[in-house]
Amino acid sequence: MATLGDIGVSAAINLLSAFIFLVAFAILRLQPFNDRVYFPKWYVMGMRGSPTHSGFVTRFVNLDFRSYLRFLNWMPEALRMPEPELIEHAGLDYAVYLRIYLIGLKIFVPITILAWAILVPVNWSNGSLAIVNVTSSNIDKLSISNIPLGSDRYWTHIVMSYAVTFWTCFVLLKEYETVANMRLNFISSEKRRPNQFTVLVKNVPPDADESVSELVEHFFLVNHPDQYLTHQLVYNANKLAKLVKKKKKMKNWLDYYQIKYSKNQALKPTMKTGFLGLWGKKVDAIEHYTSAIEKLSKEIVDERGRVEKDPKSIMPAAFVSFKSRWSAAVCAQTQQTRNPTMWLTEWAPEPRDVYWRNLAIPYVSLTVRRLIMSVAFFFLTFFFIIPIAFVQSLASIEGIEKRAAFLKPIIETPFIKSVIQGFLPGIVLKLFLIFLPSILMVMSKFEGFLSLSSLERRAATRFYIFNVVNVFLGSIITGTAFEQLNTFIKQSTKEIPETIGVAIPIKATFFITYIMVDGWAGIAAEVLMVRRLILYHLKNSLLVKTEKDREEAMYPGGLSFNNGEPRIQFYFLLGLVYATVTPVLLPFIIIFFAFAYVVFRHQIINVYNQEYESAAAFWPDVHGRVIVALLISQVLLIGLLSTKKAAQSTPFLVVLSVLTIWFYRYCKGRYEPAFVRFPLQEALMKDTLERAREPNLNLKAYLQNAYEHPVFKAAEEDDEDGDTSEELETESIIVPTKRQSRRNTPVPSRVSGASSPRPSLNDVREDPEVAAAAL
C-alpha cells in the first residue's frame, strides 16, 4: 500500500519526467531540421516553408540564442488563438474536443474547493482506521474510511454527493446547449459540401430485370420526382485499390531514379530485380519501372472495366444526391417504403470521412459481423483482467519478494520501496494498455462501419467500457484480493463487507499514481512526440527519395479520438467517484485537465491535421459517458455506505440516481436531435440564401463525382477511354424500364442512360448551358 511518502516520490519522478520532456520539446522545436515534425499542419496547409539556411550548421541547429530564452512561449501562444479562429483553423470537431478538458476544469475546480473545505476536515477529525485491522496509509485518513461505522457524519457525504451531481448536471446542461448551438451555427454558416445534398442508400432490393443503377434511378424518380439529381454506385474496388497503390509506389521509384539521372546524366541508374534489389538480373532502373508502370496501367484499366461491369462488384447501395439540402434532409430522415429493412437512407458522410473499404461489405453480413465482435469484445474485456491482475501483483513489494526473494534487501530500502509502490503499478498498467486502442479499432473496422468518425466513436465507446471494467473496477477488485487477503482469512464472514467498503477508498492511492504517470508525464510525452520524431528522421534518412516521400514522412495524421476521449472520460469517472470518498485525489485530476488542455491546444493548432469533419457528432456520447460516471459514483457510494452501517441513507441516494437518469433523458430529448437530424427550416433557409447568391450554380457538376471512389479518381489518369459524358442529346421525356411489373417512370431521367430529359425550370436556372440548349 502506497504511503504519503511513496506518493511524494512518485510525484517527484513524474514531475521531473514531465519537466525534462517539456524542456526537450522546447529546445527541439527550435531546430530547423525538426520544423516539419513539430509544425507539420502549417506545411500541409501550404502556409509554411522550410527554414532558410545560410550555412551547413544552421541547416540543423538554431544559433539564435535569444530564442532559447523564450523556450516556454509555446504555452501562451497555444492559448492566444480565440475559439472562432480555432474553428476556422482546425474545424468544429477539434474545438469541441478541447471543450471537454474545459468542462473537466469547470466541474472539478469548484468541487475540489468545496470538498477540501468540508469533507477533508470531516474525514480527518476521526480515527477509525486505527481500530480497523486493514492495511492503510496516511492518505486514507483524509478519506471516508476514517469515519466510524454508523456515524452521523455520513450525511455530509450524502449532501456532498447531491452537490456534486447538481453542479455536474448544471455544467453539462450549459455545455450541451452551447455545443448544440455551435453545431447548428457551424452547419448553417459553413460552405457548400457534398454531404449536405447527399444520402447513403443501403439494402437496395435485387431485381432480375434491372441493374442496381437503373433500380436506384427509377425509385428516386418516382418517390422524389422534383428533387432527385444524380447518384453514384458503390463498388467493391478493393482489388483495384491494391493495384493503384502498387503503381503509386512504382511511380515514386521512377521519380527517384529520374531525379538521380538528371543530376548525373553520364551514368544511367541501374537496379537488381531480385528481393529488395539485393540480387537478380541487373537492369536499367528507369526503363524497368517505365515498363512495369505501363503494364500495371493496363491491368488497372482492365480491372476498372471489370468492376464497373461485373454485377458481383456492384453493391446494393448508392450515394444519391438531390437538388437542395431540404430534399436531402427529407430523404435522409424518413422511411422510404413500408418494409423498414429495404431502401435504408441515412446522411452520407463527407467524402473525406467515408471508409471506402467497408462499402464493399454486403449489408446482410453486418449483423453477423457485429455479433461476432460483440462476443469477442466480451471475452477480451473479462479475460483481460487476469493478466492485469497478475502483472499488478508482480508490480508490488509483496509480489516481487515472493517471486525474487534475493531482491528483498534492495527493494526494502526506503527510496526503492517508494518507487515501486508509488510509480511501478501505474506505469505497468499504462504499458498494458498501449496496443488496446489499435485492437479495438481493428474490431470496429471488421464490424463494417462506413465512416471514419463512426469507426472512432465505436472504438472509443468500447475503450471506455474496457476502462470501467478492467482499469477501474478490476483494479479495485484485484487490489482488494491481493492487499487484504490476510485480513479476509482472519475475519469472519460478517466482517468481510466492511473490509471491502474500507478497501474501495484505499485504492485511491493506486489511481493517484496512475494519474501522475498517464496524465502528467504521459501528456508531456505527447507534446514531445518522441516516436514521431524518431520515425520522421529514420524515414528522411533511409526511405525518402522524393519530395512527395518527405511530405508523406512528415504527415501528422489526425487527433486519435478513439484513444483520447476515453482517457478523458476515465478521469471524469475517477473524479466523480472519489469526490465524496477520497477528495485528496481531485487536485491531481485538475492538473491533468489544465495541462492536457494547453498541450492538445498546441497540438491541434500546429500538428494534427483534420482528416474529416463531423460537426461534433460525438458530443452526445461524451455527455452520456459523464452521466454514466455520475451513476457509477452514486451506486458505489450506496454500496460503500451500506458497509458503514449507514443503510438508512440509501433511499436518498436512490432518489439522486433517479434524478440523474431523468436529467439525461431530458437532455437527450431536448438537445440530441441537433446531432442526429438536420432541421428542415435551417436547410430551407440555407438553400434560399444560396440560390439568391448563386443563381447560376451548376449543382449537378459539383455533385457528379463527389462520391466517386478515390481509386477510380487515381485510375482516371491512365484510363483515356473512360471519359464519358453524362449529358446526352435526346429529348425524350420518359425513361423506359425493363421491369415488367412497373410502368415507365413518368418523369425525366437525371442520370446516365439511353435518354436525356427535357430540362426543368430549376435546371434552366442552375445550368446556363442547359438553358441555352432549351432555347
Side-chain angles (χ1 to χ4, degrees):
M1 175 60 61
T3 64
L4 191 60
D6 299 334
I7 298 297
V9 172
S10 178
I13 293 174
N14 286 286
L15 285 174
L16 180 61
S17 301
F19 179 76
I20 292 173
F21 289 148
L22 293 177
V23 171
F25 164 71
I27 295 174
L28 290 173
R29 69 188 287 268
L30 296 176
Q31 311 311 315
F33 71 105
N34 290 329
D35 202 60
R36 289 176 179 263
V37 178
Y38 292 113
F39 301 97
K41 185 169 185 175
W42 299 99
Y43 283 89
V44 173
M45 298 173 65
M47 302 175 66
R48 192 181 183 100
S50 299
T52 56
H53 314 294
S54 58
F56 178 79
V57 177
T58 54
R59 287 182 56 192
F60 303 98
V61 182
N62 183 1
L63 299 179
D64 182 10
F65 295 102
R66 291 175 298 179
S67 62
Y68 293 96
L69 300 177
R70 304 185 300 273
F71 69 97
L72 290 178
N73 65 347
W74 65 270
M75 290 187 175
E77 287 178 358
L79 300 173
R80 192 170 294 131
M81 182 180 288
E83 189 172 66
E85 186 178 343
L86 182 67
I87 294 175
E88 183 70 23
H89 174 73
L92 185 63
D93 282 345
Y94 284 0
V96 172
Y97 178 84
L98 289 173
R99 291 188 71 91
I100 305 176
Y101 293 104
L102 290 180
I103 292 173
L105 294 174
K106 292 177 182 178
I107 290 176
F108 290 113
V109 169
I111 288 176
T112 301
I113 295 173
L114 187 64
W116 276 76
I118 298 176
L119 284 187
V120 170
V122 169
N123 295 336
W124 178 260
S125 58
N126 287 275
S128 65
L129 282 176
I131 303 173
V132 181
N133 183 27
V134 294
T135 307
S136 64
S137 67
N138 292 331
I139 292 178
D140 301 315
K141 296 178 181 179
L142 303 175
S143 72
I144 197 173
S145 301
N146 207 33
I147 305 291
L149 300 179
S151 173
D152 291 337
R153 298 194 178 202
Y154 288 118
W155 288 104
T156 308
H157 299 82
I158 296 173
V159 173
M160 184 65 186
S161 181
Y162 268 84
V164 168
T165 300
F166 287 168
W167 174 248
T168 302
C169 290
F170 174 76
V171 173
L172 288 177
L173 180 66
K174 293 296 182 182
E175 285 297 322
Y176 215 145
E177 182 179 5
T178 300
V179 175
N181 289 330
M182 290 172 65
R183 174 180 168 88
L184 292 175
N185 292 336
F186 179 80
I187 292 175
S188 63
S189 63
E190 70 173 336
K191 299 177 181 179
R192 185 187 314 111
R193 292 196 303 171
N195 56 298
Q196 297 170 346
F197 302 87
T198 307
V199 300
L200 175 60
V201 182
K202 299 183 294 185
N203 213 22
V204 176
D207 189 273
D209 298 319
E210 290 187 329
S211 66
V212 175
S213 180
E214 293 169 331
L215 200 59
V216 170
E217 176 188 31
H218 288 124
F219 180 86
F220 285 95
L221 284 174
V222 169
N223 295 282
H224 301 267
D226 298 325
Q227 296 297 329
Y228 169 70
L229 185 62
T230 184
H231 75 267
Q232 290 168 274
L233 295 177
V234 172
Y235 296 95
N236 182 354
N238 292 340
K239 182 178 179 180
L240 180 61
K242 294 179 181 178
L243 293 175
V244 172
K245 184 178 180 181
K246 184 178 180 181
K247 179 182 175 181
K248 180 181 177 182
K249 185 177 179 181
M250 288 188 174
K251 273 191 170 183
N252 206 36
W253 277 107
L254 178 61
D255 292 341
Y256 166 69
Y257 284 115
Q258 286 177 337
I259 293 172
K260 187 176 181 180
Y261 179 64
S262 65
K263 293 179 180 179
N264 183 12
Q265 297 188 2
L267 183 63
K268 294 199 76 173
T270 59
M271 59 169 290
K272 293 181 179 180
T273 57
F275 178 71
L276 295 178
L278 299 177
W279 58 74
K281 184 180 178 181
K282 197 171 186 180
V283 297
D284 184 292
I286 295 178
E287 292 180 359
H288 172 78
Y289 279 109
T290 301
S291 175
I293 290 173
E294 290 177 356
K295 181 180 178 181
L296 199 56
S297 296
K298 294 179 182 179
E299 292 183 27
I300 290 174
V301 171
D302 294 340
E303 176 63 19
R304 177 173 180 176
R306 186 196 66 80
V307 167
E308 292 178 335
K309 295 177 181 178
D310 187 0
K312 295 181 180 180
S313 298
I314 301 175
M315 308 306 297
F319 292 100
V320 180
S321 298
F322 295 83
K323 295 179 181 179
S324 65
R325 296 171 181 83
W326 182 89
S327 53
V330 170
C331 181
Q333 297 165 183
T334 54
Q335 182 175 316
Q336 302 303 307
T337 66
R338 65 170 60 186
N339 185 346
T341 65
M342 297 294 180
W343 295 101
L344 304 177
T345 57
E346 62 184 53
W347 279 110
E350 67 165 346
R352 292 182 302 169
D353 194 18
V354 177
Y355 188 66
W356 296 95
R357 291 182 61 184
N358 280 0
L359 290 176
I361 299 175
Y363 179 79
V364 292
S365 70
L366 294 179
T367 302
V368 177
R369 284 170 170 261
R370 290 174 187 177
L371 176 62
I372 293 173
M373 285 300 98
S374 296
V375 174
F377 177 68
F378 173 83
F379 285 104
L380 174 67
T381 301
F382 288 95
F383 283 95
F384 207 82
I385 197 172
I386 298 174
I388 285 182
F390 177 73
V391 173
Q392 286 195 19
S393 69
L394 294 179
S396 63
I397 297 294
E398 296 80 2
I400 295 175
E401 290 180 348
K402 181 178 180 180
R403 291 166 178 80
F406 63 92
L407 295 177
K408 185 174 181 179
I410 299 176
I411 62 178
E412 286 294 339
T413 58
F415 178 75
I416 300 298
K417 185 176 182 180
S418 296
V419 170
I420 293 174
Q421 291 187 326
F423 181 75
L424 192 59
I427 195 67
V428 167
L429 182 58
K430 175 69 176 175
L431 293 174
F432 237 79
L433 300 177
I434 285 179
F435 300 105
L436 184 62
S438 300
I439 296 173
L440 296 178
M441 195 65 177
V442 171
M443 294 173 67
S444 298
K445 291 178 180 178
F446 181 81
E447 286 184 283
F449 289 95
L450 302 180
S451 65
L452 296 174
S453 56
S454 59
L455 285 171
E456 292 198 334
R457 289 201 299 272
R458 170 53 68 95
T461 298
R462 286 185 166 164
F463 196 11
Y464 177 72
I465 295 172
F466 186 92
N467 280 337
V468 171
V469 174
N470 281 281
V471 181
F472 181 69
L473 296 178
S475 295
I476 290 176
I477 294 171
T478 57
T480 300
F482 284 102
E483 295 174 7
Q484 309 294 342
L485 181 59
N486 292 330
T487 306
F488 285 166
I489 295 174
K490 298 176 182 178
Q491 288 181 333
S492 65
T493 306
K494 294 181 179 180
E495 294 175 326
I496 290 178
E498 297 178 3
T499 305
I500 295 177
V502 175
I504 291 175
I506 286 177
K507 197 61 183 179
T509 55
F510 164 75
F511 289 120
I512 289 174
T513 63
Y514 179 77
I515 291 170
M516 289 187 290
V517 171
D518 179 70
W520 295 8
I523 295 298
E526 166 70 26
V527 76
L528 181 59
M529 299 189 302
V530 177
R531 176 176 170 272
R532 191 185 300 275
L533 179 69
I534 295 174
L535 287 178
Y536 170 76
H537 286 297
L538 285 176
K539 291 179 180 178
N540 199 32
S541 58
L542 300 177
L543 303 177
V544 169
K545 302 175 290 294
T546 63
E547 186 63 27
K548 191 173 184 180
D549 282 347
R550 183 169 288 104
E551 291 176 0
E552 292 179 356
M554 74 153 191
Y555 186 72
L559 181 67
S560 181
F561 178 83
N562 60 302
N563 184 20
E565 194 270 344
R567 171 201 264 180
I568 305 173
Q569 293 295 341
F570 184 68
Y571 287 100
F572 274 107
L573 175 64
L574 292 180
L576 293 173
V577 167
Y578 282 99
T580 55
V581 175
T582 310
V584 71
L585 179 141
L586 294 177
F588 296 89
I589 290 181
I590 290 176
I591 293 174
F592 161 76
F593 279 116
F595 186 35
Y597 175 72
V598 176
V599 167
F600 279 99
R601 214 173 196 274
H602 171 273
Q603 298 296 86
I604 285 172
I605 291 173
N606 298 298
V607 179
Y608 297 128
N609 187 48
Q610 186 185 22
E611 296 186 332
Y612 61 84
E613 177 62 73
S614 70
F618 57 82
W619 182 258
D621 296 336
V622 174
H623 176 269
R625 285 195 264 273
V626 178
I627 295 296
V628 169
L630 268 178
L631 292 172
I632 291 175
S633 68
Q634 295 159 7
V635 171
L636 290 182
L637 185 59
I638 291 174
L640 180 59
L641 292 180
S642 65
T643 67
K644 297 289 188 176
K645 297 184 179 179
Q648 69 276 9
S649 62
T650 299
F652 293 92
L653 292 174
V654 172
V655 170
L656 184 59
S657 298
V658 172
L659 291 175
T660 304
I661 295 173
W662 173 85
F663 170 77
Y664 170 74
R665 292 179 62 86
Y666 168 78
C667 290
K668 184 178 180 66
R670 173 62 181 85
Y671 298 111
E672 188 172 322
F675 295 86
V676 295
R677 292 192 289 270
F678 187 28
L680 295 180
Q681 182 184 28
E682 297 282 341
L684 185 59
M685 289 174 57
K686 196 165 179 62
D687 288 331
T688 304
L689 288 173
E690 186 174 74
R691 287 179 180 271
R693 293 171 181 170
E694 302 179 69
N696 296 323
L697 171 65
N698 186 357
L699 188 59
K700 185 173 183 180
Y702 174 71
L703 295 172
Q704 192 70 57
N705 298 314
Y707 283 92
E708 184 181 23
H709 200 296
V711 174
F712 288 173
K713 293 180 180 179
E716 280 174 359
E717 299 175 0
D718 307 292
D719 188 6
E720 298 178 356
D721 299 328
D723 186 14
T724 59
S725 173
E726 299 202 7
E727 296 295 335
L728 304 177
E729 309 213 355
T730 317
E731 295 213 357
S732 174
I733 61 173
I734 62 172
V735 178
T737 175
K738 300 175 185 177
R739 181 179 306 185
Q740 302 301 319
S741 59
R742 179 185 295 173
R743 292 178 298 174
N744 289 345
T745 306
V747 286
S749 172
R750 297 290 183 238
V751 77
S752 306
S755 62
S756 176
R758 180 174 297 166
S760 66
L761 179 60
N762 289 334
D763 291 328
V764 171
R765 289 174 180 171
E766 292 178 359
D767 194 335
E769 295 181 3
V770 175
L775 295 175

